[in-house]
Amino acid sequence: MEEKSVLIIENDVAVRNHLSKKFNNLGMLVITAEEGYEGYVRACNESPDFIVTETLLPNLNGFKVSYLLKHDERYSDIQITLLTPNEINIERQNFETCKANVIMKKPFKFSELVEEMKLNQA
C-alpha cells in the first residue's frame, strides 16, 4: 500500500507538532503549513490525500482554503477535515458552503480525528 500523505494547516505550533508526530507514527507522510495561504499553495503543489486545517488562520482561513480546493476539480477529491474552537452549530453554514468532509470542535481526541478521517479504509 502506498504511503498516504496529510497536510496539517495549523498556526498553533504545539498543535501542529503534536499532530505531525501522531500522523508520522501512523506511517503517513506529513506536510505542514503555518497559515492558510501557505497551506493552499502546498495543497496545490503536493496534492495530499488528507488535509487537517484550523478554521481560524491568518491570510486565508480554513473555510476559504477548503472552498478553493473543493471547487477546483484537480483537488476536489482531497479529504478535508476542519478543526474549530467555535461551536459546530455556529459554523454550520460556513461548513456547508466550503464543502469540507468533516468539521470537529477543539479540543478533540486524536483517535476521534482518525476515525472521522476514515484513515483505516483501504
Side-chain angles (χ1 to χ4, degrees):
M1 184 170 117
E2 78 177 57
E3 187 177 43
K4 295 285 186 189
S5 58
V6 60
L7 168 60
I8 301 164
I9 311 172
E10 172 63 69
N11 56 340
D12 182 319
V13 178
V15 174
R16 190 172 63 244
N17 289 343
H18 178 73
L19 289 174
S20 295
K21 187 173 155 193
K22 293 285 213 173
F23 282 118
N24 230 329
N25 290 343
L26 292 178
M28 296 183 75
L29 173 66
V30 177
I31 307 160
T32 61
E34 293 179 30
E35 48 83 22
Y37 181 74
E38 178 192 4
Y40 174 71
V41 169
R42 295 208 69 181
C44 292
N45 290 337
E46 304 185 42
S47 292
D49 297 297
F50 300 94
I51 296 174
V52 176
T53 181
E54 162 67 69
T55 56
L56 305 176
L57 292 168
N59 300 322
L60 277 180
N61 69 38
F63 294 112
K64 281 267 181 0
V65 171
S66 179
Y67 182 89
L68 292 169
L69 294 170
K70 288 294 191 175
H71 288 83
D72 184 326
E73 63 185 32
R74 295 171 297 175
Y75 312 111
S76 60
D77 288 345
I78 298 172
Q79 187 176 324
I80 301 176
T81 301
L82 299 173
L83 305 176
T84 183
N86 299 325
E87 292 299 324
I88 301 294
N89 59 349
I90 293 171
E91 299 292 14
R92 183 68 48 205
Q93 183 64 48
N94 287 331
F95 172 62
E96 290 170 5
T97 302
C98 79
K99 305 283 191 227
N101 301 81
V102 177
I103 187 167
M104 294 182 71
K105 181 166 175 23
K106 287 180 165 183
F108 57 89
K109 290 187 171 126
F110 186 74
S111 59
E112 292 170 356
L113 175 62
V114 169
E115 180 72 24
E116 287 292 336
M117 290 172 64
K118 299 172 178 62
L119 288 178
N120 301 323
Q121 290 185 345

